[in-house]
Amino acid sequence: MTDSFDLAVVGSGIIGLAHALAAARRGLRVVVIDRDRQANGASIRNFGLVVVTGQEPGPSHRLAERSREIWLELAQEAGIEILHRGKLIAAQRPEALALLETFKSGEHGGACKLLTAREALEHQAGLDEEAIIGGLHSPFELRVESREVLPRLASFLAEKHGVAFRTGVSVTEIAPPFVETSAGRVHAEKVVVCPGDDFSSLYPELIGKHGVQRCKLQMLRLADPGFRLQSALMSDLSLLRYGGFAALPEAGALRAKLSEERGAALANGVHLIVVQSADGSLVVGDSHHYGLTLDPFGAEAVDQLILDEFKTLFGRVPNVLARWTGYYASAKNAVLRDAPHEDVRLVIVTSGTGASTGFGLGEEAIVEMFGQ
């Protein structure tokens, strides 16, 4: 491994590939190094949902808007399929509807549409008419199949942009312009480290100073319900998980109501997102538990809380086809960005929004490192 590169990216999840894309588009020579043979962490154990509406105002929302633009560009350039677009938040409680009305009148609600109960039911087949009192439709969200998109994006970077991939290779030391690996030395003028939830291999003390921990989530795949989703779907619980909604004054009343009616769900960080795959199956979740070291086991009681919320909206639950747990880095701030060396950047998304904000993050980091 005696090749010479302008940039080495450590980590081939969505954040690593986002930085590789931004650099490759500038004509830079890029190598991506990963200890695994293929991405198998948080980047593929998710909904594949690019969320714009509801992101916290400021940098998170700006990054999500730019990332969405890049996803649409890649749909054309790399043949990435957008499975469905938009998002319906199906309101079940007056407190949720009041929050959505306030959001609609705010800075980022203009392009969204408030829906009556009838309009929400007409938008999405299968919803239980007794459960829905209205909703909000956002046109911005994009749904991709993460476990298929990550390999496709890597192939696109290699074939179209000449990005080199060194998989099954561990990085042991970074001292620009050299990166020491288990397969030999790589020469790279600059390095971006995107370790996901690996807090111990590189810069553990620096990561520790940022107060980063892990978040464990549980998700399920359900059988084809016999109808097609017109867009991603969320419920009242989701409004407390996204800063753009949760920071509104009306969120307090909704939280109080949900604490009375869905206390166990709140205690387990459960909210509801439903998206659909090309074969008709549904990806449903999720829950949130936090700690530095979390067990690998899914709890049936937590899965049941997710399915209970699904049943509330749809009246029934299709057969469960698969269950899994995922892990991502979590901290108070949405993103950890640091510079352990003038030619090295450490970038970790610590809010579970890698698919939504990663491409924007990659562009900003490459501009900072290489200039306009």
Side-chain angles (χ1 to χ4, degrees):
M1 292 179 63
T2 57
D3 302 309
S4 180
F5 300 93
D6 300 306
L7 177 70
V9 178
V10 182
S12 65
I14 189 62
I15 304 304
L17 296 185
H19 285 78
L21 174 68
R25 282 180 160 184
R26 297 166 66 98
L28 300 175
R29 297 164 298 164
V30 181
V31 60
V32 176
I33 307 169
D34 198 298
R35 64 185 181 181
D36 291 322
R37 294 292 179 182
Q38 60 187 23
N40 67 357
S43 293
I44 64 166
R45 305 185 199 185
N46 58 33
F47 296 98
L49 185 62
V50 180
V51 176
V52 177
T53 295
Q55 295 290 354
E56 186 174 356
S60 292
H61 194 275
R62 183 192 72 246
L63 290 169
E65 287 184 315
R66 178 57 186 147
S67 296
R68 178 184 185 272
E69 292 174 352
I70 297 173
W71 275 112
L72 291 173
E73 293 165 3
L74 289 171
Q76 298 296 319
E77 297 173 12
I80 291 175
E81 183 180 6
I82 306 297
L83 294 170
H84 50 71
R85 303 179 185 228
K87 172 176 66 183
L88 171 64
I89 302 173
Q92 304 147 273
R93 297 166 179 85
E95 294 84 356
L97 197 57
L99 190 156
L100 293 174
E101 289 170 350
T102 298
F103 178 83
K104 164 63 180 172
S105 66
E107 178 184 4
H108 297 300
C112 298
K113 181 181 179 182
L114 283 170
L115 304 178
T116 64
R118 179 177 295 278
E119 289 172 331
L121 294 168
E122 289 174 351
H123 174 84
Q124 182 53 62
L127 288 172
D128 186 345
E129 64 180 17
E130 296 183 1
I132 309 302
I133 65 169
L136 181 86
H137 180 262
S138 163
F140 299 114
E141 281 61 38
L142 306 173
R143 152 73 172 149
V144 300
E145 195 71 66
S146 295
R147 60 185 180 180
E148 298 174 2
V149 164
L150 267 289
R152 182 182 292 274
L153 181 55
S155 296
F156 168 76
L157 289 170
E159 295 166 7
K160 178 65 181 287
H161 292 287
V163 173
F165 282 83
R166 306 286 187 260
T167 58
V169 174
S170 297
V171 173
T172 57
E173 184 181 0
I174 298 173
F178 300 113
V179 178
E180 304 295 343
T181 80
S182 58
R185 173 176 287 181
V186 174
H187 184 283
E189 296 299 324
K190 299 180 186 292
V191 183
V192 174
V193 179
C194 306
D197 73 330
D198 177 1
F199 307 152
S200 58
S201 296
L202 296 169
Y203 307 115
E205 293 183 359
L206 183 57
I207 294 173
K209 290 179 180 178
H210 287 273
V212 182
Q213 59 182 340
R214 289 184 178 86
C215 177
K216 170 187 170 183
L217 54 85
Q218 292 182 208
M219 297 180 64
L220 309 96
R221 185 176 292 273
L222 306 183
D224 186 340
F227 56 79
R228 299 299 302 183
L229 288 185
Q230 301 304 309
S231 58
L233 185 136
M234 295 185 182
S235 72
D236 292 1
L237 287 167
S238 302
L239 296 173
L240 302 182
R241 299 289 318 175
Y242 286 90
F245 299 120
L248 296 175
E250 289 76 7
L254 177 61
R255 184 177 296 277
K257 188 67 172 180
L258 289 171
S259 295
E260 294 176 8
E261 299 179 354
R262 302 285 278 131
L266 289 184
N268 287 276
V270 169
H271 74 135
L272 185 70
I273 298 178
V274 184
V275 296
Q276 194 162 37
S277 295
D279 64 0
S281 64
L282 302 176
V283 177
V284 178
D286 58 355
S287 59
H288 300 79
H289 297 91
Y290 301 90
L292 285 174
T293 301
L294 297 161
D295 69 60
F297 308 111
E300 177 60 29
V302 174
D303 280 353
Q304 194 57 55
L305 289 170
I306 297 169
L307 295 176
D308 286 347
E309 185 71 1
F310 181 95
K311 186 175 181 179
T312 298
L313 288 183
F314 290 98
R316 65 184 182 90
V317 178
N319 291 335
V320 176
L321 302 179
R323 307 169 189 257
W324 65 92
T325 57
Y327 303 85
Y328 65 79
S330 177
K332 181 179 179 180
N333 295 323
V335 180
L336 186 166
R337 287 192 270 196
D338 214 324
H341 180 280
E342 63 180 350
D343 291 322
V344 180
R345 296 295 182 271
L346 174 66
V347 183
I348 307 175
V349 172
T350 50
S351 52
T353 61
S356 299
T357 62
F359 286 126
L361 274 172
E363 281 192 337
E364 289 189 355
I366 297 307
V367 168
E368 178 186 328
M369 298 180 78
F370 292 92
Q372 296 289 345

